[in-house]
Amino acid sequence: MPSMGPRRSSAPTRAAALAILLASAACSDGADDPPPSGGGGPAPAPLVFADWTAPGPSGVDFTSLSRMDAAGYGQGAAVADVDGDGDLDIFLSQDDGPCALLLNDGRARFTEVAAAAGVRVSDAAHAKSTAFLDYDRDGDPDLFVGRAGEGNLLFRNRGDGTFEDATAAAGIGGGAPFTMMAAVGDFDGDGWPDLYECNFAVTDYDEPLSEQGTPAPNRLWRNGRDGTFTDVAGLLGVDDPLASWAAHWLDVDGDGDQDLLVANDRFFFPSQSTRDRLFLNTGPAGGFSFEERGVEWGLAESHFGMGVALGDVDGDGTLDIYVSDLGDNELYLGSDAPPLVDRAPAWGLEAGWAGSQRLTSWGAAVADLDADGWNDLVVGNGFIHPRDPGPMATSQVPHLYLRRPETPGVRFEEAGEAAGLRSLDLRGSRGVIPCDLDGDGLLDLVVSTRFGKARILRGEGPRPEAWYGVRLRGTRSTTEGLGAILELRVGDRRWVRLVTTGGQPLCSLPPEALFHPGGARGDPRLRVRWPSGAVQDVVPARRSWTTVIEPE
């Protein structure tokens, strides 16, 4: 993406803030703006999520085994097209029991193949987080598994339906981390994906988790382009030993390279000076080192940071930042000038309380869930308790906020009950991954939980008249196109997406985008801004998926 101003200055500028990302909308303070205009379309169709978890049609029957301690944080979930057949598959990890690799038949019906595919994770391996990344650039997603108290694992996808354990060869294991999330990006712009490992506490896993000195340092695994990785976190200043739950790669300052936002939690470490971190990438001129600028940008919150979601929440064509928390969550608008100010209360998205009960929020995602042309927000909630879901879990269920631009004075409506989420036993939810599992153009949800079933929730409602799915195949950028900006125009409206695997704790989202034009009319035009600097215009296929190949 082109820079909006000087490459680096002593303080962030308004132009730089607009680059969060794709600055082209008029600037405003964002707190009292009227809802964006332009083709809101007809009244939104009812959205309902149906539970397809076994004994439902999906065949998915995966339950986290109960652990009687606070360290049992729950299932990890990663979604990608593992076998290259055009539909999305799922990997599920858990603390104390077998992990699962679920292959999709294209209709959201799954077959468990972990053992047959060679994805062998010990039942007592304390597998926490997971992510897919094509680290060897052969076109197949490989699998990372983060564990607690033991070395992490990397499985290489052979492309024939099987995996091989590449941990030792890649040099990515070792140590005793407590890895809660793996953020995949390309910080040095060489087209090979790197991995930022968010670590929590070094602890005796068999004892209740409590403050025990310093949290484990994070690790930044730089891809050696030869099948190996090197940890450069300490060298580049991003080891950040502050109890990290999640991180997100994003070009905050618009200079064309990926910066890093890290969500940190002070719950178990109240004596530590714990706050979120924003590391700005100095780029090739600075040797790809990082400078911590969270305070200047207004993103150095000292709170219980759990996850980071990016998306155009207010519909103005810039990407906004949503940070999940214990209590009130935060929303930072990309059109604001730094230091950014929390706009969640003004937009009704703080998701802080359910009656008198304070919510503990985890994974969050910005997506057009009801296919009306406006982005919505889904937030996973779940209390931590030694016998989770525990006595305080009654309201600790996912919250669904649907955008309502057609209703004067209303920006979002909490619609979890109407959409069926309240009637399902989703207490203790962790990851909430929007993805189209059955190819019908409507987003479904993969929900991971703690001490409960992972859920496959099928989005049901009238099928949208038009939708456009976009996947990338990078040649100079990463094969997934991580960090690319997608801009779809239909008539006088436009939508912006960032290609990413997200910033949800424990989880990894599919690096693809699904657009719904709602009531907009006109010929679709898609522009892809590749991390390599290439800009490509294509006409996407209607009611189908388009794969865009980066020019050499």
Side-chain angles (χ1 to χ4, degrees):
M1 187 181 329
S3 173
M4 294 300 299
R7 181 167 187 79
R8 189 71 67 218
S9 61
S10 59
T13 66
R14 190 176 188 86
L18 285 172
I20 301 181
L21 271 265
L22 226 70
S24 61
C27 302
S28 67
D29 69 4
D32 299 310
D33 294 342
S37 61
L47 169 68
V48 175
F49 287 103
D51 189 357
W52 272 34
T53 314
S58 75
V60 174
D61 188 5
F62 182 87
T63 302
S64 285
L65 303 183
S66 178
R67 289 189 57 83
M68 297 302 127
D69 61 23
Y73 283 115
Q75 303 153 351
V79 179
D81 182 5
V82 170
D83 51 6
D85 63 355
D87 52 49
L88 294 172
D89 310 301
I90 303 170
F91 180 80
L92 297 170
S93 61
Q94 68 162 310
D95 287 326
D96 192 9
C99 299
L101 177 61
L102 302 159
L103 296 187
N104 189 350
D105 69 354
R107 300 175 298 160
R109 292 165 171 82
F110 295 86
T111 302
E112 205 291 301
V113 299
V119 180
R120 297 182 177 86
V121 181
S122 166
D123 287 3
H126 308 318
K128 294 286 186 188
S129 55
T130 182
F132 284 112
L133 70 160
D134 184 12
Y135 81 93
D136 54 1
R137 288 186 56 87
D138 64 354
D140 303 310
D142 309 301
L143 177 66
F144 174 86
V145 180
R147 301 195 288 178
E150 304 173 46
N152 297 328
L153 301 172
L154 180 66
F155 295 94
R156 177 181 174 271
N157 190 335
R158 293 191 178 105
D160 61 358
T162 66
F163 289 75
E164 61 180 317
D165 189 339
T167 308
I172 204 168
F178 204 96
T179 302
M180 291 303 186
M181 191 261 180
V184 182
D186 180 15
F187 79 89
D188 54 5
D190 64 356
W192 295 73
D194 311 299
L195 188 149
Y196 187 73
E197 181 185 292
C198 295
N199 289 314
F200 208 73
V202 176
T203 182
D204 180 349
Y205 196 84
D206 293 324
E207 296 295 331
L209 185 60
S210 60
E211 182 168 353
Q212 298 183 27
T214 303
N218 297 342
R219 301 194 286 196
L220 173 55
W221 294 104
R222 188 174 197 171
N223 196 320
R225 299 185 285 185
D226 59 359
T228 67
F229 288 85
T230 302
D231 177 20
V232 295
L235 178 66
L236 300 185
V238 292
D239 46 343
D240 189 41
L242 291 177
S244 302
W245 274 110
H248 210 303
W249 294 101
L250 69 162
D251 184 8
V252 171
D253 52 7
D255 64 356
D257 49 50
Q258 294 186 352
D259 311 303
L260 183 66
L261 180 60
V262 183
N264 288 315
D265 180 13
R266 61 183 169 86
F267 183 85
F268 289 108
F269 299 92
S271 69
Q272 307 283 342
S273 179
T274 300
R275 59 183 176 84
D276 290 352
R277 303 283 200 178
L278 173 64
F279 297 101
L280 294 188
N281 191 336
T282 63
F288 294 107
S289 60
F290 290 85
E291 300 172 358
E292 209 286 302
R293 298 288 190 89
V295 172
E296 295 175 56
W297 282 80
L299 294 171
E301 186 78 17
S302 177
H303 63 157
F304 312 100
M306 304 293 193
V308 181
L310 262 67
D312 185 5
V313 172
D314 57 358
D316 68 352
T318 62
L319 296 182
D320 310 306
I321 300 172
Y322 189 79
V323 182
S324 53
D325 201 341
L326 193 165
D328 293 341
N329 300 341
E330 296 89 39
L331 170 66
Y332 303 100
L333 297 182
S335 55
D336 278 354
L340 303 178
V341 177
D342 177 19
R343 302 296 188 186
W347 283 81
L349 295 175
E350 59 268 54
W353 298 81
S356 62
Q357 186 179 129
R358 183 165 65 170
L359 296 174
T360 304
S361 297
W362 301 85
V366 179
D368 186 0
L369 291 158
D370 58 358
D372 67 347
W374 301 96
N375 276 337
D376 311 301
L377 178 72
V378 60
V379 183
N381 299 299
F383 193 69
I384 295 177
H385 188 273
R387 297 180 184 274
D388 195 59
M392 295 179 64
T394 305
S395 300
Q396 299 281 345
V397 296
H399 279 47
L400 174 65
Y401 297 91
L402 298 181
R403 187 79 163 93
R404 292 294 183 244
E406 75 286 348
T407 306
V410 176
R411 285 168 167 162
F412 284 86
E413 172 191 3
E414 208 295 303
E417 182 172 0
L421 297 181
R422 293 288 187 275
S423 62
L424 304 174
D425 186 10
L426 296 172
R427 294 174 297 171
S429 57
R430 294 301 188 253
V432 284
I433 301 177
C435 50
D436 183 6
L437 295 174
D438 54 3
D440 65 352
L442 290 171
L443 288 169
D444 312 302
L445 290 177
V446 176
V447 181
S448 70
T449 67
R450 183 190 182 213
F451 302 164
K453 279 190 174 185
R455 296 301 185 91
I456 307 299
L457 306 182
R458 184 176 185 264
E460 296 187 346
R463 191 169 181 182
E465 179 181 342
W467 57 271
Y468 303 93
V470 181
R471 296 171 178 140
L472 301 184
R473 176 55 69 97
T475 57
R476 290 183 287 164
S477 306
T478 64
T479 55
E480 305 95 331
L482 297 171
I485 296 290
L486 307 178
E487 179 183 359
L488 178 72
R489 290 182 179 269
V490 177
D492 62 355
R493 289 204 59 198
R494 79 185 166 107
W495 298 263
V496 173
R497 302 282 191 273
L498 173 69
V499 179
T500 175
T501 57
Q504 295 199 20
L506 309 171
C507 298
S508 173
L509 283 63
E512 59 185 37
L514 186 62
F515 293 92
H516 298 103
R521 295 291 183 268
D523 295 330
R525 295 158 291 163
L526 176 70
R527 173 161 290 185
V528 182
R529 300 178 185 270
W530 293 90
S532 65
V535 178
Q536 195 172 3
D537 293 312
V538 299
V539 177
R542 185 172 178 271
R543 297 183 73 168
S544 184
W545 287 87
T546 299
T547 298
V548 182
I549 300 175
E550 183 179 20
E552 296 282 354

